[in-house]
Amino acid sequence: FLLREQLWLCDIAIVREKKKFSSSTSPCAHLRAAYNNCFNRWYSEKFVKGQWEKEECVSEWQKYRACLSEHLEDKHLSGFLEAEGLVGSINQDKLENPADIADTGASQ
Amino acid sequence: MVKAYSQEYVYKHPWDRVTSASWRKFADPENKRVLSHILEVDTLSRKLDPTGKLYTTRAITVHAPGPWFVSKIVGQDICHCVESTVVDVQSRSMQLTTRNISLQKFIEVEEKIRYDPHPDNPTGWTICQQETRIRIKPLSALASMAEKVEQKCAEKFVQNSAKGREVMERICKYLEAESSGLAL
């Protein structure tokens, strides 16, 4: 694992410990469901049939991702997210800002 | 010391449908009752490369109560895991690797699952191969009862795998019905 990824995962673990188990009341549940539904449709109807070039589910992913980062209350998270870019398609690197990545990369 | 357990299962459904079912396994509301040990699943990242390989990382929180002697030592009954998946649509393979990231001072568990078209019937069937490796950390407080803990873990994995397969079969049937409905 990347160190950043491990740090983020540890933070998820900490926050979930605090919340105990409230899976049905997770604040991002609706956005997660919307993203998952979009992804599942894309996967079954396009990806496995060989059509994966077009960007899909980008806005659902961005909203879900924004919610996750908001609720994880984490300092390294935003850096991690920026470095990861707004994933969801093969065109995702066009959305990244190289300057932001350079800044957050140094904080490791 | 590492204990490894392997299982193999054949789904009489094509690879496309089985891998689709795999993505839906945890989120399906009807199936959540069966897979009640899975508390939370979030997608952390997803990348698609130009050759048609889909890389996904997910955070999975599992309710893993152990026998009383484990709970006393470990002190908690939830475990956080990371699942990394690669789907290669050109070669029709899907591999998932799940590892615990919490409780690592006590135990390391790694579960690998592969879905491939079945060699005897590549267009109609899918073979699922699963391997679970369990390692109790040697200097941990669990080390003295390592065998017992490993055995309990293995029993749990076998039970959970069976539940997982039950859920997968149900989803495959649903997807099959859905696709025949659409293909008028």
Side-chain angles (χ1 to χ4, degrees):
Chain A
F1 294 118
L2 293 175
L3 175 63
R4 283 189 305 247
E5 186 166 289
Q6 281 186 306
L7 289 171
W8 191 27
L9 293 166
C10 288
D11 287 315
I12 290 180
I14 291 164
V15 173
R16 283 181 179 173
E17 298 286 351
K18 290 179 185 165
K19 282 165 37 165
K20 293 185 183 173
F21 3 129
S22 56
S23 57
S24 57
T25 61
S26 159
C28 303
H30 286 120
L31 294 172
R32 178 171 63 196
Y35 170 69
N36 284 337
N37 289 340
C38 184
F39 170 76
N40 289 334
R41 270 197 314 272
W42 171 80
Y43 183 86
S44 310
E45 291 167 20
K46 303 253 175 81
F47 180 73
V48 293
K49 298 188 162 108
Q51 306 158 36
W52 62 77
E53 293 83 10
K54 199 166 158 287
E55 284 191 38
E56 299 268 351
C57 306
V58 176
S59 82
E60 287 88 353
W61 173 254
Q62 286 172 354
K63 288 178 193 151
Y64 168 42
R65 188 60 172 238
C67 182
L68 272 186
S69 62
E70 192 190 315
H71 289 93
L72 286 173
E73 306 157 33
D74 166 42
K75 289 171 213 164
H76 0 256
L77 181 65
S78 51
F80 177 72
L81 287 178
E82 276 168 21
E84 274 277 331
L86 298 164
V87 296
S89 78
I90 54 172
N91 296 318
Q92 54 99 11
D93 50 22
K94 292 180 186 160
L95 304 171
E96 287 170 351
N97 182 341
D100 288 340
I101 292 172
D103 287 342
T104 55
S107 66
Q108 269 194 57
Chain B
M1 198 168 70
V2 178
K3 282 264 169 80
Y5 304 88
S6 298
Q7 290 180 84
E8 216 174 74
Y9 185 80
V10 178
Y11 290 95
K12 295 195 176 159
H13 292 276
W15 183 89
D16 294 11
R17 190 179 300 146
V18 173
T19 58
S20 297
S22 177
W23 288 118
R24 293 163 193 249
K25 191 165 72 171
F26 297 138
D28 195 284
E30 203 185 302
N31 296 310
K32 269 183 173 170
R33 184 189 41 85
V34 176
L35 298 179
S36 56
H37 57 290
I38 306 289
L39 301 176
E40 198 87 71
V41 180
D42 274 300
T43 305
L44 301 177
S45 73
R46 197 160 250 148
K47 283 177 168 57
L48 184 54
D49 81 14
T51 67
K53 288 204 180 101
L54 180 68
Y55 297 91
T56 306
T57 315
R58 300 199 295 180
I60 302 182
T61 306
V62 182
H63 180 227
W68 66 268
F69 51 88
V70 170
S71 304
K72 275 191 99 65
I73 293 169
V74 173
Q76 55 175 294
D77 54 7
I78 63 172
C79 181
H80 300 281
C81 303
V82 169
E83 177 203 80
S84 305
T85 307
V86 184
V87 186
D88 185 340
V89 79
Q90 307 242 51
S91 67
R92 286 246 162 340
S93 77
M94 177 173 186
Q95 179 160 310
L96 306 91
T97 305
T98 307
R99 293 184 186 98
N100 64 303
I101 53 154
S102 68
L103 309 183
Q104 277 193 349
K105 64 176 186 176
F106 297 105
I107 189 171
E108 273 175 3
V109 179
E110 185 188 75
E111 183 186 71
K112 282 190 148 92
I113 302 179
R114 282 191 66 102
Y115 293 106
D116 296 286
H118 196 288
D120 297 346
N121 185 354
T123 54
W125 294 356
T126 304
I127 183 160
C128 173
Q129 292 160 295
Q130 185 169 340
E131 189 183 84
T132 307
R133 300 169 84 84
I134 305 168
R135 179 172 171 252
I136 305 290
K137 289 291 176 70
L139 298 179
S140 76
L142 286 185
S144 59
M145 50 184 102
E147 267 205 55
K148 211 171 179 128
V149 174
E150 279 165 6
Q151 199 200 316
K152 288 284 172 194
C153 283
E155 281 166 19
K156 205 71 203 175
F157 289 131
V158 169
Q159 272 174 34
N160 290 340
S161 297
K163 285 189 200 171
R165 282 195 295 271
E166 185 194 317
V167 166
M168 289 281 291
E169 286 284 4
R170 209 175 297 154
I171 301 175
C172 283
K173 286 203 173 71
Y174 166 80
L175 290 173
E176 185 180 30
E178 196 185 47
S179 67
S180 19
L182 289 171
L184 290 170

